[in-house]
């Protein structure tokens, strides 16, 4: 018992002596985007968690495409610019929050991580839904403000309380990207941007509050369930639809070119 108490005391000393870790992140996009609001919420929540580990995330908002040398990762809400920003990011993880281009995924950019679902993912989700609901007017999205399962209700409430508006797919993409970085750094603080990018690519249990664990394909696209939305904006269901082949990879999976 005494040796156990000594071990606890020694561990406490080591934790107390550990230097604070502060990680700079960068955002490129509109200052009034829902993706930025979601990103800020995700960073706030990560920092609540990090307070116990002496780990802090900071965010620099940029107007141009140049990424600060000290930034560990960059979040982008600027459709049409992902490839250029990724090419100039020096190997840092570049989170695509809003560009749904299928061609961008097929290019398999080494440091681009696509949080927003591709156009093909959404089309596949709708096709699965219509097998059992022929003639249904439906669309697919990453998120719905009325989702309640898998702690989605709590996330929707936190966002609504914070900003006074419902969480949409862009806001969710920003929130998830921040939490993915935060959770990864809390588990194992990265020594550099390459280490963080590698850890994110290898992660297989990222939590998007949507049930199935999320992970990244070789294309950089995030594997994730989607929601089906009716013509009036109502929540219809989820994809992959029960009985559909391929699981999460039945939504938009395509080879690199």
């Amino acid at each position: 018992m005494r040796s156990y108490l000594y071990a606890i005391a020694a561990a406490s000393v080591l934790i107390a002596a550990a230097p604070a870790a502060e990680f700079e992140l960068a955002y490129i996009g509109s200052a009034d985007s829902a993706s930025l609001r979601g990103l800020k919420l995700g960073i706030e929540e990560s920092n609540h968690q990090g307070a116990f580990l002496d780990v802090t995330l900071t965010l620099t908002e940029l107007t141009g495409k140049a990424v600060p040398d000290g930034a560990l990762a960059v979040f982008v809400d600027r459709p049409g610019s992902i490839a250029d920003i990724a090419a100039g990011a020096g190997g840092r993880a570049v989170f695509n929050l809003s560009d749904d281009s299928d061609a961008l995924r097929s290019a398999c950019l080494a440091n681009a991580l696509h949080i927003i679902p591709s156009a093909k993912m959404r089309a596949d989700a709708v096709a699965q839904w219509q097998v059992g609901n022929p003639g249904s007017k439906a669309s697919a999205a990453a998120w719905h403000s009325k989702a309640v399962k898998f702690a989605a209700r709590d996330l929707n409430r936190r966002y609504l309380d914070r900003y006074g508006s419902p969480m949409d797919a862009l806001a969710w993409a920003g929130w998830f990207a921040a939490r993915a970085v935060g959770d990864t750094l809390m588990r194992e603080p990265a020594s550099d941007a390459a280490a963080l990018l590698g850890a994110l690519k290898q992660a297989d249990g990222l939590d998007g509050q949507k049930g199935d664990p999320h992970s990244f394909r070789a294309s950089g696209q995030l594997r994730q369930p989607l929601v089906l939305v009716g013509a009036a904006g109502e929540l219809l269901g989820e994809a992959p639809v029960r009985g559909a082949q391929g699981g999460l990879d039945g939504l938009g999976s395509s080879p690199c070119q």
Side-chain angles (χ1 to χ4, degrees):
M1 181 65 177
R2 182 175 298 176
S3 61
Y4 173 77
L5 293 175
Y6 285 153
I8 293 295
S12 299
V13 170
L14 288 174
I15 292 172
E22 182 172 303
F23 298 101
E24 180 185 0
L25 307 171
Y27 167 80
I28 297 175
S30 171
D32 62 357
S33 170
S35 65
L36 179 57
R37 292 192 289 274
L39 179 60
K40 288 181 175 180
L41 178 64
I43 288 175
E44 289 173 7
E45 294 181 355
S46 291
N47 283 337
H48 286 315
Q49 176 186 359
F52 298 97
L53 303 170
D54 218 4
V55 173
T56 303
L57 308 182
T58 64
L59 183 67
T60 300
E61 298 178 42
L62 307 173
T63 56
K65 295 181 180 180
V67 181
D69 290 340
L72 203 61
V74 58
F75 308 91
V76 182
D77 181 0
R78 189 171 288 174
S81 300
I82 302 298
D84 288 344
I85 293 172
R92 298 175 183 85
V94 173
F95 289 89
N96 168 21
L97 304 180
S98 58
D99 192 329
D100 70 353
S101 165
D102 293 320
L104 187 59
R105 276 72 172 171
S106 296
C108 291
L109 305 175
N111 60 327
L113 301 175
H114 309 288
I115 307 304
I116 205 73
S118 67
K120 187 175 189 302
M121 287 178 71
R122 291 186 286 104
D124 287 347
V126 171
Q128 288 183 7
W129 177 256
Q130 289 179 337
V131 169
N133 301 273
S136 171
K137 300 295 184 182
S139 60
W143 189 256
H144 195 284
S145 62
K146 299 300 183 183
V148 298
K149 296 166 62 176
F150 311 115
R153 186 201 306 270
D154 294 334
L155 176 54
N156 274 324
R157 183 177 296 135
R158 295 197 305 274
Y159 186 88
L160 183 62
D161 289 347
R162 178 70 172 79
Y163 294 109
S165 60
M167 179 174 250
D168 62 12
L170 284 178
W172 177 85
W175 174 86
F176 175 83
R179 294 298 286 141
V181 169
D183 287 348
T184 301
L185 291 174
M186 302 303 166
R187 285 195 302 269
E188 185 175 351
S191 56
D192 55 32
L196 174 60
L197 177 60
L200 288 163
K201 284 185 168 185
Q202 293 170 16
D204 60 3
L206 298 172
D207 184 7
Q209 312 282 267
K210 297 198 286 184
D212 294 325
H214 300 10
S215 59
F216 290 101
R217 297 174 179 152
S219 64
Q221 175 62 59
L222 183 69
R223 292 183 183 90
Q224 58 181 293
L226 302 183
V227 292
L228 282 306
V229 183
E234 73 274 22
L235 179 60
L236 297 176
E238 303 158 1
V241 173
R242 187 183 299 275
Q245 298 295 313
L248 291 182
D249 280 330
L251 300 175
S253 188
S254 58
C256 297
Q257 295 179 352

